[in-house]
Amino acid sequence: WYFFPPDSAPALLLLMMLSLPMWQISESLPVMSMTPMTDSCVNYARMLLENITQALTKTELFTGINCTEQNMELNTNTYTPSVCAPKVCFQTKKCFYCLSIKESCLSNISRDLSQYYKFLTAQPDLLRVPNVTHSLRKLMENCFEESLPTNETPVNHASTYSERLNLCKTLRGFQVRTITVSRAISYMSSGEHTK
């Protein structure tokens, strides 16, 4: 929870509206019937984060690449970090306002997970990270079922340096995004977002 002085409410509302893309403000999204965030969802998200972190240390995946020195590539097609921030509350002279964006947060997480899943399952056999893919699939099946792609196309060719580098950068970005996802799921599971 963040509290702001009563006289800052109009400025904060304007700031929030300007910080979101216009299409997101005007877009009418159906409320997704997502599974409630439970303790098991929290555990699936933590397991995913652990598996990504372990995969990043596997030298056989990143032969000739120091993965820890590489930049990360984040999914820029979603707004998960901004829409999954905790509620912002402020008070005017007459009213107390809290802005909650749970549906938007869940929708963005779902799109993130789906995009990373498609990326990981499209890797050549030698670059597959089964623990990451398995834990991602478990999280999606149990907490974001509608985001689970139905068809997976296996790729059977030798991996190239650029594919290994791309996997490294994408996994690093996915690790950072999974930290956000894990925190958001923990927050929603705790019920704090409803108070």
Side-chain angles (χ1 to χ4, degrees):
W1 290 67
Y2 300 99
F3 292 97
F4 298 98
D7 57 340
S8 66
L12 283 171
L13 190 53
L14 179 62
L15 176 64
M16 288 182 63
M17 288 175 57
L18 292 175
S19 67
L20 293 174
M22 288 310 289
W23 68 266
Q24 194 172 9
I25 294 170
S26 63
E27 182 180 40
S28 175
L29 292 174
V31 175
M32 301 175 80
S33 60
M34 302 224 183
T35 306
M37 292 299 110
T38 62
D39 287 343
S40 63
C41 293
V42 173
N43 292 331
Y44 287 125
R46 286 185 184 150
M47 182 57 66
L48 175 60
L49 180 58
E50 284 179 30
N51 287 333
I52 294 169
T53 303
Q54 288 175 359
L56 285 167
T57 64
K58 294 188 176 194
T59 54
E60 66 272 13
L61 274 178
F62 308 111
T63 305
I65 301 170
N66 187 343
C67 198
T68 59
E69 292 180 359
Q70 301 302 316
N71 292 326
M72 66 181 87
E73 286 195 17
L74 287 167
N75 178 6
T76 58
N77 297 322
T78 63
Y79 299 95
T80 304
S82 59
V83 299
C84 291
K87 283 194 247 191
V88 175
C89 297
F90 54 91
Q91 184 174 355
T92 65
K93 292 178 182 174
K94 297 180 182 180
C95 299
F96 182 74
Y97 297 99
C98 283
L99 303 174
S100 179
I101 41 185
K102 179 183 175 189
E103 288 79 16
S104 183
C105 176
L106 292 173
S107 173
N108 276 267
I109 289 174
S110 181
R111 290 186 2 233
D112 266 327
L113 297 178
S114 181
Q115 182 168 334
Y116 284 111
Y117 187 81
K118 288 174 188 173
F119 172 83
L120 291 170
T121 57
Q123 296 303 303
D125 284 341
L126 294 176
L127 292 183
R128 293 283 173 114
V129 275
N131 288 348
V132 173
T133 307
H134 177 74
S135 57
L136 174 54
R137 186 171 184 84
K138 287 301 231 182
L139 175 61
M140 293 169 74
E141 284 175 349
N142 292 287
C143 307
F144 297 91
E145 188 175 355
E146 62 285 330
S147 65
L148 195 59
T150 54
N151 55 350
E152 299 171 23
T153 309
V155 178
N156 295 315
H157 66 78
S159 64
T160 65
Y161 177 83
S162 64
E163 286 174 322
R164 291 193 318 273
L165 182 60
N166 188 34
L167 177 63
C168 165
K169 289 179 176 185
T170 302
L171 275 178
R172 285 178 45 81
F174 189 28
Q175 181 185 36
V176 170
R177 186 56 51 93
T178 303
I179 291 169
T180 302
V181 167
S182 183
R183 286 178 178 170
I185 290 172
S186 293
Y187 179 72
M188 285 184 264
S189 172
S190 73
E192 285 294 314
H193 69 289
T194 61
K195 294 180 181 177

